[in-house]
């Protein structure tokens, strides 16, 4: 067990945390939603997503492939409710422990601020990083109601580190965020309609990314008819099959971290949790 974690239960098919194999993946949950501004409940995301994972077979029929990857579930981070900045630091320290074990993180959120600490640790390790960010929102506000650490500012903090951003599925943004994107050179945007009309171009772009990649999936990138229980649902979202195509394309690249965040449900068997678990399951199926 890592420091600053506890184990409520484990994601399906995870290995025992003994004789840990290097160059594998490790799951940590982040039960935190203290900056949520609309629909609360993401702090329960790690619990309901893990529970939903037990509904899948080891054989993934979508990709005609067994889940054979070696991965571990190290439990949940001990967050500090009400203090996003300190919680991000605990996540960063925890991911640094994983890095020392030569394990790449998979984060189950929790609100989207959960990504900040993980990405910071990985950026400092590699010195460069491309974050493929799938979301309805840009999350590029400089601050949100006076707070610099928030679900609405996560990608601004990531960009300040020096990471490149590829934002996919965007359909909600402030004017200030759009102007900020126009003023930079290293943020690429594919909006929701681009996914429908130009998926080939998106896959070509992703295939040509050099260097380490971190994948961050906010569940609100999906249409609310598919994933209704998220922090900030926005109509006209993506389909699960479209995310699966993107994950399949990226699985051939150097993926050093992955997260699925903003599952906001207090109900076991919830459809949003099932879809969140499916995305993690698909990723784990594809990485070998």
């Amino acid at each position: 067990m890592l420091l600053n974690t506890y184990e409520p239960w484990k994601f399906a098919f995870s290995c025992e945390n003994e004789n840990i194999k290097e160059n594998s993946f490790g799951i940590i949950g982040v039960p935190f939603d203290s900056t949520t501004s609309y629909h609360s409940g993401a702090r329960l995301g790690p619990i309901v997503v893990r529970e939903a994972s037990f509904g899948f077979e080891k054989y993934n029929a979508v990709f005609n492939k067994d889940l054979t990857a070696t991965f571990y579930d190290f439990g949940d981070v001990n967050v500090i409710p009400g203090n996003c900045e300190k919680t991000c630091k605990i996540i960063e320290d925890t991911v640094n422990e994983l890095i020392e074990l030569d394990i790449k993180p998979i984060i189950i959120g929790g609100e989207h601020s959960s990504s900040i600490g993980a990405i910071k640790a990985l950026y400092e390790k590699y010195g460069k990083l491309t974050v493929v960010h799938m979301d309805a929102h840009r999350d590029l506000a400089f601050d949100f109601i006076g707070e610099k650490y928030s679900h609405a500012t996560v990608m601004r903090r990531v960009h300040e580190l020096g990471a490149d951003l590829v934002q996919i599925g965007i359909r909600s943004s402030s004017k200030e965020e759009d102007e900020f994107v126009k003023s930079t050179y290293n943020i690429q945007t594919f909006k929701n309609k681009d996914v429908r009309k130009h998926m080939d171009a998106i896959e070509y772009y992703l295939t040509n990314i050099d260097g380490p990649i971190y994948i961050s999936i906010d569940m609100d990138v999906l249409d609310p008819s598919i994933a209704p229980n998220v922090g900030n649902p926005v109509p006209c979202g993506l389909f699960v099959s479209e995310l699966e195509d993107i994950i399949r394309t990226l699985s051939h690249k150097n993926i050093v971290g992955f997260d699925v965040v903003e599952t906001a449900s207090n109900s076991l068997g919830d459809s949003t949790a099932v879809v969140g678990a499916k995305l993690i399951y698909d990723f784990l199926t594809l990485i070998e």
Side-chain angles (χ1 to χ4, degrees):
M1 177 185 269
L2 300 176
L3 299 175
N4 285 314
T5 66
Y6 63 99
E7 297 181 0
W9 70 54
K10 296 177 182 291
F11 198 89
F13 311 118
S14 60
C15 301
E16 293 299 320
N17 302 346
E18 300 174 2
N19 301 316
I20 292 173
K21 179 182 175 182
E22 294 182 348
N23 195 31
S24 54
F25 279 84
I27 291 173
I28 55 173
V30 181
F32 182 85
D33 63 1
S34 293
T35 78
T36 296
S37 56
Y38 182 57
H39 178 56
S40 63
R43 67 187 181 279
L44 299 175
I47 293 175
V48 295
V49 169
R50 283 187 176 100
E51 188 276 337
S53 71
F54 286 88
F56 301 119
E57 306 284 351
K58 201 160 190 178
Y59 174 71
N60 189 322
V62 173
F63 301 112
N64 190 28
K65 191 175 186 298
D66 284 322
L67 195 167
T68 58
T70 299
F71 71 99
Y72 308 89
D73 191 332
F74 293 100
D76 284 357
V77 172
N78 288 309
V79 303
I80 302 177
N83 195 321
C84 188
E85 185 172 3
K86 287 187 178 179
T87 295
C88 289
K89 183 63 172 70
I90 292 171
I91 297 167
E92 179 185 353
D93 291 344
T94 304
V95 172
N96 275 323
E97 288 187 77
L98 291 175
I99 289 170
E100 290 174 4
L101 295 169
D102 195 19
I103 293 178
K104 292 167 278 194
I106 295 174
I107 310 295
I108 306 177
E111 64 171 63
H112 209 158
S113 64
S114 308
S115 307
I116 297 173
I119 292 172
K120 187 172 187 292
L122 291 164
Y123 184 83
E124 290 178 352
K125 171 178 171 58
Y126 293 102
K128 64 176 293 189
L129 192 66
T130 298
V131 177
V132 177
H133 168 220
M134 290 173 257
D135 201 320
H137 310 85
R138 288 199 181 277
D139 292 350
L140 284 169
F142 179 75
D143 61 46
F144 182 71
I145 319 177
E147 294 293 331
K148 290 183 70 176
Y149 283 80
S150 162
H151 73 94
T153 67
V154 51
M155 291 302 153
R156 186 64 168 261
R157 302 288 84 82
V158 167
H159 187 263
E160 288 170 352
L161 294 172
D164 297 330
L165 295 181
V166 181
Q167 300 193 307
I168 302 175
I170 305 299
R171 55 193 184 277
S172 178
S173 176
S174 69
K175 183 177 180 180
E176 291 77 12
E177 287 175 301
D178 276 352
E179 290 176 346
F180 176 72
V181 171
K182 292 175 185 176
S183 73
T184 66
Y185 68 92
N186 63 341
I187 301 178
Q188 174 67 47
T189 302
F190 298 103
K191 294 189 175 182
N192 55 329
K193 291 183 179 179
D194 296 322
V195 175
R196 299 276 152 73
K197 297 178 180 179
H198 307 294
M199 180 61 93
D200 288 347
I202 294 171
E203 292 180 330
Y204 179 80
Y205 185 92
L206 297 175
T207 299
N208 284 281
I209 295 174
D210 291 326
I213 295 171
Y214 184 96
I215 301 172
S216 182
I217 301 177
D218 185 321
M219 289 296 290
D220 71 25
V221 72
L222 292 156
D223 192 79
S225 63
I226 299 166
N229 291 320
V230 297
N232 291 85
V234 182
C236 303
L238 306 191
F239 299 127
V240 175
S241 59
E242 291 167 333
L243 292 193
E244 287 177 330
D245 287 343
I246 292 168
I247 293 170
R248 176 164 41 195
T249 298
L250 289 169
S251 68
H252 303 292
K253 306 297 290 182
N254 179 22
I255 306 302
V256 299
F258 180 89
D259 69 48
V260 173
V261 297
E262 295 287 353
T263 298
S265 173
N266 61 3
S267 169
L268 298 182
D270 171 80
S271 60
T272 307
V274 171
V275 175
K278 177 67 161 58
L279 295 172
I280 296 169
Y281 163 76
D282 286 340
F283 174 72
L284 289 167
T285 302
L286 289 166
I287 55 176
E288 280 197 339

